[in-house]
Amino acid sequence: MSNFREKIHSKELIATFDDVLILPGFTNFSPAEVNISSNLGKYHLNLPIMSSAMDTVTEELMAINMALHGGLGVMHRNCSYERQLEMVRIVKRARSFVIDDEHVATISPKEGVAKAKFMMENYNISGIVVVNEDKKVCGIFTKRDIPFFQQDIQNGTIKDYMTTDVISIKPGASRKEALKILYESRKEKLPIIDNNGYLKGLITKKDLAPEFPLATKDEEGHLLCALAISPRFPESSQAQNMLKEIEKYVDIFFIDVADFFKKDDIEGTVKLMKFLESDFVLGNIGTYQAAEYLISKCDFVEERVIGLKVGMGSGSICTTSIQTGVGAPTLFATAQVADAIQDYNKKLSLIADGGFTKPGDLPKAFAAGADLIMSGHFFAGTEESPGYIDTIAGRKVKVYRGMGSKEARTFGYISDRYIEGSKMLTEGVSNYVPYVGDVARVLATLKEGLSNGMIYAGAKSIKNMKDAQLGIVSVVGQRETQPHDLIGKF
Ligand code: XMP
């Protein structure tokens, strides 16, 4: 039996970002014509960039900002269902021309002022519509109505502090009409009330202004909302009910495990997809065979699987490959799965996840067949990531930790992200990354690296980028493509 030697000698190279360069292509268009938008299933993203479902990267604030800038933030699942519900609600309520009645925060006039204050702080809103027992609007309570003294906040009742003279608008009114009333009344919020006095929605001033023309939105104009989910079907009916409640605000669930090519995870996901109605992205996987199996041999609800996410062990905080000897670096995994998608189901979107360290890595992923990229590394140090800004040796830093690190695992919500029952082996680390300011600035740099790379490659769109040529760089070539032969140190 001489096959073992072949396992080493005749195998393809597992190449990743620094191993390759894109060859320059003929550019027959102007820089302004480059289009970096892409699709995730039926959803259009003006920026093909996503932030990772990690507890030091994406919660509601990151998700809102990623979506406002045209990308997508996938919120993590290392917390209770209650907290997940809170996050997805905040994202869905964050921006739209009209907030429909189901999503408008309401309160009874008999409730305490303290409750309204708590709701405003937790839902990140500045006013609540007051509705009586018949569900008819009887007032509005805004931050400005909160009494000054703590004892009044604690003991006060909404009906004594709310504004009863509610300036409202009728259902079906145009954006222009709404803007006019808001301007004339100098109000921030405009409840939509029908002829019978029932609440039909809410228009807010901040949502009317088209500050973010590239935002990623659902069909109703709300921000697109994505959440990580375990592939295990929840056993208790209470957990199932919570999941249903969460689903009301979620457009896309991202199956969130290190390695999805597992019978139990696949079966659990099949069951979940039958129970839920949102779209799903499956992952992570790393080979052609895994993609082929998922696409052609499993019983998922086909039209609701919109994408595959790839990369294993290549994240900047990952130790899976070191600890277990198994891995599929992102660029390699991307090319593998891109081929399977071409062969079996061209409608699926491909997300290259993790391992990106430089803007120039993005065009390489697209040249290898990705439709979108996902990163934790680029975003963990931003203002919008969860966690405190600390100062170490005079430098501002934030904590960035792998979901397989001991620090992230202590909460007990993600034991099924890795090998269930494995207690002695962590698969990630926790460390500091430099604080880099607003996510908008990070995205602007990535955007420029991507579009400039596309221009050099001669690709006008992400789709064209898939035709760009990649070459393996020799060790000497790698040295030459870095700054070299200078006196200073890098
Ligand atoms: P970057 O390179 O952006 O990678 O830091 C982020 C991606 O890494 C995955 N991830 C992990 N992988 N152990 C792992 O093996 C971990 O602890 C871990 N935490 C996150 C995940 O896919 C993420 O998007």
Side-chain angles (χ1 to χ4, degrees):
M1 297 289 270
S2 59
N3 289 349
F4 290 108
R5 277 176 294 165
E6 273 183 30
K7 276 192 185 177
I8 295 171
H9 290 303
S10 64
K11 285 295 151 186
E12 56 201 310
L13 179 73
I14 301 185
T16 193
F17 298 115
D18 285 351
D19 292 314
V20 302
L21 275 176
I22 304 164
L23 300 187
F26 177 56
T27 310
N28 61 357
F29 52 88
S30 70
E33 288 177 82
V34 176
N35 180 355
I36 59 167
S37 71
S38 190
N39 291 326
L40 173 54
K42 65 182 180 215
Y43 307 101
H44 185 74
L45 274 72
N46 282 303
L47 189 63
I49 301 178
M50 303 162 83
S51 63
S52 296
M54 298 171 73
D55 61 6
T56 49
V57 179
T58 313
E59 290 190 338
E60 61 271 38
L61 187 59
M62 180 66 78
I64 290 170
N65 279 278
M66 287 297 294
L68 286 177
H69 290 96
L72 187 67
V74 182
M75 285 175 279
H76 73 90
R77 64 176 175 103
N78 196 16
C79 54
S80 65
Y81 276 151
E82 283 75 15
R83 174 72 183 118
Q84 291 179 30
L85 179 60
E86 187 178 59
M87 294 196 292
V88 296
R89 252 189 192 152
I90 291 174
V91 173
K92 260 298 161 217
R93 285 203 179 121
R95 279 284 198 297
S96 88
F97 165 37
V98 173
I99 301 172
D100 52 51
D101 56 339
E102 199 189 314
H103 296 122
V104 179
T106 58
I107 195 162
S108 153
K110 293 180 191 159
E111 289 284 359
V113 168
K115 179 168 177 187
K117 186 168 177 276
F118 177 84
M119 284 169 73
M120 287 187 212
E121 283 164 4
N122 280 277
Y123 296 165
N124 200 15
I125 51 177
S126 58
I128 307 175
V129 181
V130 188
V131 292
N132 61 24
E133 279 155 11
D134 306 334
K135 303 278 171 225
K136 289 190 179 180
V137 177
C138 58
I140 189 157
F141 185 85
T142 70
K143 275 191 175 157
R144 284 187 219 149
D145 299 317
I146 298 175
F148 187 74
F149 296 108
Q150 188 60 28
Q151 91 194 56
D152 293 336
I153 296 176
Q154 259 154 18
N155 305 328
T157 307
I158 296 288
K159 68 174 165 32
D160 299 326
Y161 292 94
M162 68 187 189
T163 305
T164 48
D165 176 22
V166 181
I167 300 203
S168 65
I169 195 164
K170 292 271 177 275
S174 70
R175 192 185 182 98
K176 207 168 155 194
E177 285 169 284
L179 270 172
K180 187 165 177 278
I181 299 179
L182 279 170
Y183 179 75
E184 282 168 0
S185 63
R186 306 289 197 273
K187 298 275 183 213
E188 299 277 323
K189 289 183 185 299
L190 206 53
I192 305 170
I193 303 175
D194 72 8
N195 290 335
N196 300 318
Y198 292 108
L199 181 68
K200 291 291 157 192
L202 184 73
I203 294 173
T204 73
K205 200 170 171 184
K206 76 170 193 267
D207 298 331
L208 270 175
E211 272 171 282
F212 295 96
L214 301 178
T216 312
K217 291 183 177 169
D218 63 19
E219 282 157 4
E220 288 161 15
H222 301 281
L223 293 183
L224 202 67
C225 180
L227 179 70
I229 188 172
S230 161
R232 301 296 162 91
F233 190 76
E235 279 167 20
S236 74
S237 57
Q238 195 195 358
Q240 289 166 16
N241 291 342
M242 272 308 277
L243 205 49
K244 273 279 183 202
E245 187 61 26
I246 289 171
E247 184 187 29
K248 287 186 188 163
Y249 307 93
V250 175
D251 302 287
I252 314 166
F253 282 111
F254 279 65
I255 294 289
D256 175 45
V257 281
D259 169 26
F260 184 61
F261 196 23
K262 294 207 241 50
K263 185 171 168 284
D264 287 354
D265 289 357
I266 293 170
E267 284 173 5
T269 304
V270 167
K271 214 168 155 192
L272 269 177
M273 285 198 79
K274 288 182 180 152
F275 179 69
L276 299 169
E277 283 160 28
S278 304
D279 291 319
F280 275 68
V281 168
L282 310 179
N284 279 15
I285 54 168
T287 60
Y288 182 97
Q289 289 76 7
E292 180 184 45
Y293 186 84
L294 295 185
I295 302 172
S296 62
K297 299 202 172 60
C298 298
D299 199 18
F300 301 118
V301 184
E302 200 186 316
E303 64 279 10
R304 286 195 284 115
V305 175
I306 60 168
L308 300 177
K309 190 154 73 69
V310 305
M312 192 180 158
S314 48
S316 58
I317 34 49
C318 295
T319 54
T320 297
S321 299
I322 300 171
Q323 299 282 57
T324 68
V326 180
T330 302
L331 195 78
F332 167 84
T334 303
Q336 289 263 322
V337 174
D339 278 343
I341 287 178
Q342 282 305 308
D343 292 346
Y344 290 95
N345 182 358
K346 292 198 178 70
K347 279 199 236 151
L348 287 174
S349 301
L350 174 55
I351 301 153
D353 173 18
F356 297 90
T357 56
K358 305 173 272 308
D361 293 340
L362 273 66
K364 293 179 186 177
F366 295 110
D371 296 292
L372 302 131
I373 73 103
M374 174 179 269
S375 172
H377 176 82
F378 286 138
F379 307 117
T382 60
E383 178 68 33
E384 291 81 355
S385 69
Y388 298 103
I389 303 166
D390 204 347
T391 306
I392 292 184
R395 290 177 70 198
K396 287 196 169 117
V397 294
K398 283 187 103 165
V399 168
Y400 180 35
R401 67 184 179 208
M403 300 311 294
S405 65
K406 74 174 183 318
E407 290 81 356
R409 284 188 190 202
T410 43
F411 300 100
Y413 293 108
I414 48 163
S415 54
D416 54 10
R417 197 179 188 278
Y418 299 89
I419 306 287
E420 193 122 53
S422 167
K423 293 199 172 70
M424 306 298 285
L425 206 70
T426 56
E427 289 188 34
V429 293
S430 175
N431 212 316
Y432 293 107
V433 287
Y435 169 71
V436 290
D438 294 347
V439 74
R441 281 171 50 191
V442 174
L443 288 173
T445 310
L446 297 178
K447 211 165 155 177
E448 215 166 291
L450 173 59
S451 8
N452 291 3
M454 287 169 64
I455 296 167
Y456 285 134
K460 209 168 163 181
S461 66
I462 296 289
K463 195 160 163 264
N464 294 152
M465 197 60 200
K466 294 186 184 186
D467 298 327
Q469 299 295 305
L470 286 170
I472 301 283
V473 194
S474 69
V475 176
V476 181
Q478 279 180 21
R479 222 183 295 142
E480 196 180 279
T481 49
Q482 312 275 330
H484 58 90
D485 293 301
L486 304 166
I487 292 168
K489 268 197 167 185
F490 295 94

